């Protein structure tokens, strides 16, 4: 089944134990989803998504304003906002339908949403997705992100559960993932340091001296030639 493309930036151990798993840092380009809000909130919504699944599957298989059927995709996502105040379920639209997707029925509660490019920390886990297991995996991923120190969650408490298998799949062969959208802390700090250094150089330059003359005398034409990388 078709799934969103992504690039693995790096990975690290989620903990010291052999069974703690691995965290992948992924870069996703934009993609389009069909989304439906879920009545529950927080972890209760993760297990109570039957109505959302049925509505989204109906939309994908042709119960839409244009009567257009699309192929099934993976993963099925459940997105929970920070603090569990709101949650929604989403199906990824096939790439060949994403540019001009079928219109949802007005009374179906399904909306189309373009997910922007983003960086996501992801931890895989097997088995049945339950409230308790999601809580455990979320705590483990948050701890691994904090211990690594190179990234930080964009929205505190927000996370997604991604499920790649049909509901009838054998539990120990199911592929699930806990995902948190993050930003790269190291890159931001380096950018800030580079900006401060540039400001300091400008203040230290003699009055009336052209930037090109000053850089040429020092033998460095730009910050890039020093080997500093943002």
């Amino acid at each position: 089944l078709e799934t969103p493309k992504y690039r693995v930036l790096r990975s690290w151990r989620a903990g010291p134990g052999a069974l703690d798993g691995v965290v992948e840092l992924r870069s996703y380009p934009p993609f389009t989803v069909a989304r439906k809000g879920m009545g529950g909130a927080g972890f209760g919504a993760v297990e109570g998504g039957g109505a959302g699944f049925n509505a989204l599957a109906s939309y994908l298989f042709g119960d839409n304003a244009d009567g257009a059927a699309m192929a099934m995709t993976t993963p099925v996502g459940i997105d929970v906002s920070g603090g569990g105040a709101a949650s929604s379920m989403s199906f990824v639209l096939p790439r060949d339908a994403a540019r001009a997707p079928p219109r949802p029925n007005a009374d179906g509660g399904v909306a189309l949403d373009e997910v922007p490019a983003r960086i996501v920390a992801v931890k895989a886990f097997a088995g049945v997705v339950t409230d308790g297991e999601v809580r455990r995996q979320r705590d483990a991923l948050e701890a691994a992100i904090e211990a690594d120190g190179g990234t930080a969650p964009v929205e505190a408490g927000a996370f997604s559960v991604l499920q790649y298998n049909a509901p009838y799949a054998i539990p120990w062969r199911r592929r699930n993932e806990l995902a948190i959208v993050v930003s790269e802390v190291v890159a931001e700090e380096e950018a800030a340091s580079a900006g401060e250094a540039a400001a300091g150089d400008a203040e230290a330059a003699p009055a009336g001296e052209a930037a090109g003359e000053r850089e040429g005398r020092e033998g460095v034409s730009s910050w890039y030639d020093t080997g500093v990388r943002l």
Side-chain angles (χ1 to χ4, degrees), residues 59-62 64 68-72 93-94 96-98 101-102:
Y59 165 78
L60 205 67
F61 296 148
N64 50 64
M70 294 167 280
M72 185 62 183
L93 296 191
D96 60 2

Side-chain angles (χ1 to χ4, degrees), residues 94-223:
R95 281 183 282 274
D96 60 2
R99 291 186 178 180
R103 296 166 298 160
N105 293 327
D107 59 351
V110 174
L112 301 177
D113 183 24
E114 182 171 344
V115 179
R118 56 188 184 168
I119 298 174
V120 184
V122 178
K123 183 179 183 298
F125 64 100
V128 178
V129 174
T130 64
D131 288 354
E133 184 61 17
V134 168
R135 188 177 298 109
R136 190 177 75 85
Q137 295 294 336
R138 175 190 172 191
D139 290 346
L141 179 55
E142 289 179 340
I145 292 172
E146 183 177 1
D148 175 70
T151 62
V154 171
E155 180 184 356
F159 66 95
S160 298
V161 178
L162 310 177
Q163 301 178 71
Y164 289 82
N165 302 99
Y168 52 79
I170 300 172
W172 57 86
R173 299 194 65 177
R174 293 184 183 182
R175 175 190 173 191
N176 311 303
E177 293 176 338
L178 200 296
I180 295 177
V181 179
V182 298
S183 59
E184 294 187 277
V185 174
V186 172
E188 293 175 357
E189 291 176 350
E190 289 181 354
S193 297
E196 292 172 0
D201 290 343
E203 294 174 358
E209 184 179 22
E213 295 174 356
R214 182 172 67 258
E215 291 175 350
R217 186 179 66 250
E218 295 173 353
V220 176
S221 61
S222 71
W223 60 263

